[in-house]
């Protein structure tokens, strides 16, 4: 037996609708059920309607002159198709329970409004099953699916992290600890130049930095130092017509210089208790203040002041946020 069926589409007299011969869905001594597809011309593409015909039989023959009939429009046909596909998928489970039915044909998942925790619990057993993962990895389509899932999870992680940073800034959160913990969890925000962060904080007796970053190119460590986002970054000297570092930034730069000297001396061949942490002429990234409402002159002034620093770069939290958003945009393609 074959599933192939020849379909002949013919135009109705109205010339706006085409149809095929009725398709028999079921025929028993008691009943006959047919579907009559209809194709309706639209400027944006043809739509499908379906007339459903139900006949009663008596002694194997159709009883009565007219069948029971009703028509489904295009959207109703699509909904019926979705319901039938879901029902068949649930039937394959062969047991009662709660099911999450996903579309795998690239036309959407139907997860809108679903509890994300419930969705995660439903999918987790699949991605945790070694046999499933091995089978997927052995096929081209499966490998692409795994790559897509991994990419989707990563993009979601980055998006949520960026949202958290933006919420902290917009809500006026000022605690350095809040932003330090965020940067510790999301070291990727510093860009591809760095590949990891260290748990080590103490670089010398009495000196503890906010964080160490490993350079991608050579593994040597640099420093990142955080100050509050409500601190001023630059100020303007009306007498000399120039911009200069604020008192808070000047103090933080001095602090960074001390840390850089201490780290270079203590870790040129690896820290005493952490020989894997090596730093040679390290650099520092200082994050302080906000710049979302800055003028073009202020942006240029910060760039110019940075250009004349050696070994230290100053950036605002808004620039850190923009850097994260640009990275996410690049990954999304």
């Amino acid at each position: 037996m074959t599933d192939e069926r020849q379909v002949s589409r013919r135009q109705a007299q109205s010339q706006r609708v085409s149809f095929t011969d009725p398709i028999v869905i079921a025929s028993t001594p008691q009943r006959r059920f047919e579907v009559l597809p209809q194709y309706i011309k639209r400027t944006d593409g043809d739509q499908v309607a379906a007339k459903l015909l139900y006949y009663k039989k008596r002694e194997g023959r159709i009883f009565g002159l007219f069948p029971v009939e009703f028509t489904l429009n295009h959207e109703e046909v699509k909904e019926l198709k979705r319901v039938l596909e879901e029902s068949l998928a649930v039937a394959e489970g062969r047991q009662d329970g709660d099911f999450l039915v996903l579309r795998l044909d690239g036309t959407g998942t139907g997860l809108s409004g679903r509890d994300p925790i419930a969705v995660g619990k439903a999918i987790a057993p699949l991605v945790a099953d070694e046999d499933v993962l091995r089978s997927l990895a052995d096929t081209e389509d499966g490998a692409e699916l795994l790559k897509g899932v991994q990419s989707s999870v990563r993009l979601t992680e980055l998006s949520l992290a960026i949202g958290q940073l933006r919420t902290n800034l917009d809500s006026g959160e000022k605690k350095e600890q809040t932003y330090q913990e965020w940067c510790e969890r999301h070291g990727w925000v510093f860009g591809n130049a760095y590949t990891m962060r260290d748990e080590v904080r103490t670089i010398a007796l009495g000196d503890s930095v906010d964080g160490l970053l490993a350079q991608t190119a050579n593994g040597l460590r640099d420093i990142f130092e955080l100050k509050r986002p409500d601190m001023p970054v630059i100020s303007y000297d009306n007498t000399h017509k120039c911009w200069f570092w604020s008192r808070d930034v000047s103090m933080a730069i001095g602090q960074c210089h001390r840390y850089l000297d201490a780290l270079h001396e203590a870790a040129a061949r690896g820290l005493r208790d952490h020989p894997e942490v090596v730093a040679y002429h390290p650099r520092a990234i200082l994050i302080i203040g906000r710049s979302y409402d800055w003028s073009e002159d202020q942006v240029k002034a910060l760039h110019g002041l940075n250009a004349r620093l050696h070994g230290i770069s100053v950036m605002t939290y808004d620039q850190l946020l923009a850097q994260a958003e640009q990275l996410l945009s690049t990954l999304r393609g």
Side-chain angles (χ1 to χ4, degrees), residues 44-89:
D44 57 348
D46 290 0
Q47 295 187 350
V48 179
K51 181 176 290 187
L52 306 182
L53 307 172
Y54 179 80
Y55 300 88
K56 288 184 178 181
K57 286 185 176 182
R58 178 180 297 173
E59 297 179 355
R61 296 183 177 182
I62 294 176
F63 174 70
L65 297 178
F66 303 102
V68 176
E69 68 174 63
F70 58 92
T71 301
L72 300 179
N73 62 29
H74 184 71
E75 295 302 321
E76 293 166 343
V77 168
K78 292 197 299 183
E79 181 65 13
L80 177 61
K81 176 177 180 292
R82 183 188 67 81
V83 170
L84 293 177
E85 287 176 341
E86 288 184 359
S87 299
L88 291 171

Side-chain angles (χ1 to χ4, degrees), residues 34-244:
E34 298 177 350
V35 176
L36 178 60
Q38 298 175 330
Y39 305 91
I40 305 169
K41 295 184 180 298
R42 295 285 188 269
T43 56
D44 57 348
D46 290 0
Q47 295 187 350
V48 179
K51 181 176 290 187
L52 306 182
L53 307 172
Y54 179 80
Y55 300 88
K56 288 184 178 181
K57 286 185 176 182
R58 178 180 297 173
E59 297 179 355
R61 296 183 177 182
I62 294 176
F63 174 70
L65 297 178
F66 303 102
V68 176
E69 68 174 63
F70 58 92
T71 301
L72 300 179
N73 62 29
H74 184 71
E75 295 302 321
E76 293 166 343
V77 168
K78 292 197 299 183
E79 181 65 13
L80 177 61
K81 176 177 180 292
R82 183 188 67 81
V83 170
L84 293 177
E85 287 176 341
E86 288 184 359
S87 299
L88 291 171
V90 170
E92 292 179 359
R94 304 185 65 179
Q95 58 184 329
D96 295 334
D98 295 324
F99 295 83
L100 179 65
V101 182
L102 304 178
R103 293 187 65 103
L104 300 178
D105 58 3
T107 59
T109 62
L111 297 181
S112 178
R114 301 286 185 181
D115 179 2
I117 301 300
V119 173
K121 287 181 178 179
I123 297 176
L126 292 177
V127 297
D129 190 308
E130 292 185 5
D131 291 335
V132 172
L133 293 177
R134 191 178 299 109
S135 297
L136 288 173
D138 287 342
T139 65
E140 182 177 351
D141 288 343
E144 285 297 317
L145 176 60
L146 288 178
K147 183 179 179 181
V149 170
Q150 183 181 32
S151 176
S152 179
V153 170
R154 182 57 174 160
L155 291 176
T156 300
E157 177 190 1
L158 299 186
S159 180
L160 291 174
I162 291 172
Q164 183 182 26
L165 177 59
R166 185 186 298 106
T167 297
N168 287 337
L169 292 171
D170 291 345
S171 66
E173 175 61 59
K174 301 176 182 178
K175 296 178 184 176
E176 290 180 22
Q177 183 66 25
T178 298
Y179 298 100
Q180 180 175 338
E181 291 174 354
W182 188 92
C183 287
E184 288 174 357
R185 292 194 302 271
H186 308 292
W188 52 266
V189 73
F190 295 100
N192 293 330
Y194 298 101
T195 59
M196 60 172 287
R197 62 176 181 80
D198 292 301
E199 297 296 334
V200 179
R201 293 289 177 272
T202 301
I203 58 174
L205 183 62
D207 289 324
S208 295
V209 298
D210 285 338
L212 292 175
L213 297 167
Q215 296 182 36
T216 303
N218 51 37
L220 297 176
R221 268 46 170 194
D222 286 341
I223 292 171
F224 74 84
E225 188 68 21
L226 305 177
K227 297 301 177 184
R228 297 200 316 269
D230 62 332
M231 289 181 169
V233 182
I234 55 177
S235 300
Y236 189 73
D237 181 351
N238 286 302
T239 301
H240 298 93
K241 309 297 182 184
C242 65
W243 293 91
F244 61 95

Side-chain angles (χ1 to χ4, degrees), residues 62 175 257 300 328 331:
I62 294 176
K175 296 178 184 176
H257 274 297
K300 288 181 177 179
L328 177 59
L331 291 176

Side-chain angles (χ1 to χ4, degrees), residues 282-301:
R283 298 178 55 84
I285 301 173
L286 171 61
I287 304 169
I288 183 172
R290 303 290 304 274
S291 59
Y292 66 93
D293 58 350
W294 277 14
S295 66
E296 183 178 351
D297 285 344
Q298 288 172 292
V299 174
K300 288 181 177 179

